Amino acid sequence: MLIDGHNRKVNYLRISVTERCNFRCQYCMPEKPFSWVPHENLLSYEDLFLFVKASIDEGITKIRLTGGEPLLRKNLHTFVKMIHDYAPSIDLAITTNAFLLPHYAQDLKDAGLTRLNISLDSLKKETAHYIAKKDVLDEVLAGIEAADKVGLKIKINCVPLKDVNDSEMIDLLEFCRDKNYEIRFIEFMENSHATVKQGLDSKEIQAIIAQKYKFTKTQKEGNSPSQSYMLEDGYKFGIIEPHLDDFCSDCNRIRLTAEGYLIPCLYFEDALSIADAIKKKDINEAVNILKNVLKNKPEKNKWGEENTSTRAFYETGG
Ligand code: SAM
Ligand code: SF4
């Protein structure tokens, strides 16, 4: 079992397989970075898998593949299959913007994937274009449909932004309820890379939904970062509230970048690399680095203190 320096059990690994992205979301990567990580610096699927196996053996039970846009990394389904074949019971999902899903949904399903988390911030063409800085809505909706058609379970992530998509919270909720997808609204986390400056906080999101629906707060499920709320008809939606003081109290996450950096917290710049250890096939050393990173995992982020993080979401994978 993996325990961090604040006695929290860590069983959730998020792997960013690439920092590259085909969108330029205003809250994440509005501009192309000065330079991308060169391809030769990326850990191969074989190398990443060595670490994945060791992490599973140490107690990781939940893995998310993310990015940047993970579907930009070639043959992602082969990596999914490696993980699935090693540990079929692992809770494995991909977080994606859905743009490329019409091409890859079937391969991912065949590789053993069962679930996807998809970002959808607007159902209006112009607003989706404004947020992603590209005309994306038709492809995103086609991607969602393709995933649904092959039987992948879908959760939708939405970042509500002031005066951008805040008038659409109810439309998005109803879209997801009608399709039987869970929706999770994520409070915008201020970071120095973003060009939008203000998101809606949980109370503001709830106030908008309350204009049309009655709902109750429900028991938080396990270590989920999302607080659940239930409409009177039983439909559940979530809000991810990183600005709340106790948000980090049961954090169970560790993040690995495509270059091999282990990042203990989304907010801070700290990281240690497992790349050399993994390339030498020294798994014990990689696990020691993991335990060292966990020992020094910060107790809390600082978003609640009205600070801005300098960490790039596209690098850590959100
Ligand atoms: N490209 C994929 C996608 O957009 O789903 C995966 C990577 S993205 C970094 C992962 C998640 O982080 C997405 O749900 C995105 O909305 C969220 N995210 C990115 N920047 C954020 C920010 N500043 N505040 C809150 N969530 C953010
Ligand atoms: Fe790309 Fe996802 Fe970041 Fe948008 S949120 S820029 S789709 S990595």
Side-chain angles (χ1 to χ4, degrees):
M1 190 191 297
L2 295 165
I3 304 284
D4 78 0
H6 300 281
N7 223 17
R8 295 170 295 198
K9 185 176 156 189
V10 173
N11 62 356
Y12 179 0
L13 173 66
R14 290 181 70 92
I15 306 174
S16 169
V17 294
T18 177
E19 61 170 352
R20 295 174 191 232
C21 192
N22 45 356
F23 288 15
R24 292 288 173 269
C25 299
Q26 306 241 18
Y27 49 75
C28 180
M29 189 203 293
E31 303 297 336
K32 184 174 175 287
F34 181 68
S35 62
W36 297 115
V37 173
H39 282 295
E40 60 271 22
N41 288 12
L42 298 183
L43 289 182
S44 64
Y45 289 145
E46 287 70 23
D47 286 343
L48 288 170
F49 183 55
L50 284 178
F51 184 73
V52 165
K53 279 197 290 188
S55 317
I56 293 173
D57 296 346
E58 290 291 329
I60 292 293
T61 57
K62 177 171 173 175
I63 296 179
R64 294 289 173 268
L65 305 182
T66 172
E69 175 44 44
L71 298 181
L72 285 180
R73 180 110 182 223
K74 261 196 191 149
N75 297 325
L76 186 67
H77 62 282
T78 58
F79 188 42
V80 167
K81 185 162 165 47
M82 286 156 116
I83 301 172
H84 176 73
D85 287 354
Y86 183 69
S89 63
I90 211 90
D91 175 358
L92 176 64
I94 294 176
T95 304
T96 172
N97 62 31
F99 192 89
L100 294 170
L101 272 177
H103 306 284
Y104 298 127
Q106 187 66 58
D107 287 347
L108 292 168
K109 173 76 177 161
D110 294 346
L113 192 77
T114 54
R115 309 207 294 109
L116 287 169
N117 297 331
I118 296 177
S119 296
L120 178 69
D121 295 316
S122 175
L123 292 167
K124 291 185 186 155
K125 219 170 158 44
E126 306 74 43
T127 309
H129 190 154
Y130 174 77
I131 294 172
K133 297 176 86 176
K134 174 170 166 177
D135 185 14
V136 295
L137 187 64
D138 291 346
E139 282 83 357
V140 168
L141 293 178
I144 294 174
E145 206 178 310
D148 206 347
K149 212 165 158 189
V150 300
L152 289 165
K153 196 163 176 244
I154 293 169
K155 272 189 196 172
I156 299 291
N157 290 330
C158 167
V159 181
L161 302 168
K162 268 206 174 112
D163 302 326
V164 178
N165 59 351
D166 48 358
S167 62
E168 288 190 70
M169 297 303 98
I170 290 178
D171 289 347
L172 282 157
L173 180 98
E174 290 175 345
F175 170 83
C176 291
R177 185 186 56 178
D178 293 349
K179 302 260 186 196
N180 206 16
Y181 310 150
E182 185 183 330
I183 185 165
R184 297 178 312 174
F185 298 103
I186 308 176
E187 286 182 350
F188 166 61
M189 289 169 249
E190 296 78 7
N191 68 88
S192 55
H193 305 266
T195 43
V196 281
K197 293 295 167 219
Q198 226 184 344
L200 266 57
D201 67 21
S202 177
K203 285 209 169 72
E204 292 168 315
I205 298 164
Q206 290 178 57
I208 291 175
I209 295 169
Q211 289 167 10
K212 183 154 178 191
Y213 292 105
K214 284 196 176 133
F215 57 87
T216 48
K217 194 171 180 170
T218 68
Q219 186 77 20
K220 223 175 167 197
E221 284 158 29
N223 295 73
S224 168
S226 168
Q227 171 62 57
S228 274
Y229 298 86
M230 190 161 66
L231 303 187
E232 284 182 311
D233 63 6
Y235 176 72
K236 278 189 187 170
F237 65 96
I239 306 183
I240 299 183
E241 306 163 325
H243 295 83
L244 283 190
D245 192 44
D246 68 347
F247 179 76
C248 306
S249 62
D250 55 1
C251 180
N252 61 344
R253 269 147 280 161
I254 181 81
R255 295 173 165 85
L256 178 67
T257 71
E259 268 186 297
Y261 283 99
L262 277 172
I263 296 176
C265 175
L266 195 52
Y267 186 96
F268 298 97
E269 286 293 334
D270 322 349
L272 285 180
S273 176
I274 55 155
D276 287 346
I278 284 293
K279 283 177 188 159
K280 282 188 293 183
K281 314 264 180 271
D282 189 345
I283 305 306
N284 289 339
E285 175 59 8
V287 170
N288 283 339
I289 296 169
L290 169 62
K291 289 186 176 166
N292 196 4
V293 170
L294 291 181
K295 200 170 84 192
N296 295 308
K297 185 168 154 70
E299 187 176 10
K300 280 182 182 192
N301 71 49
K302 287 185 181 253
W303 273 298
E305 298 166 32
E306 294 185 8
N307 286 322
T308 291
S309 168
T310 49
R311 261 238 174 268
F313 273 68
Y314 55 85
E315 189 191 37
T316 53

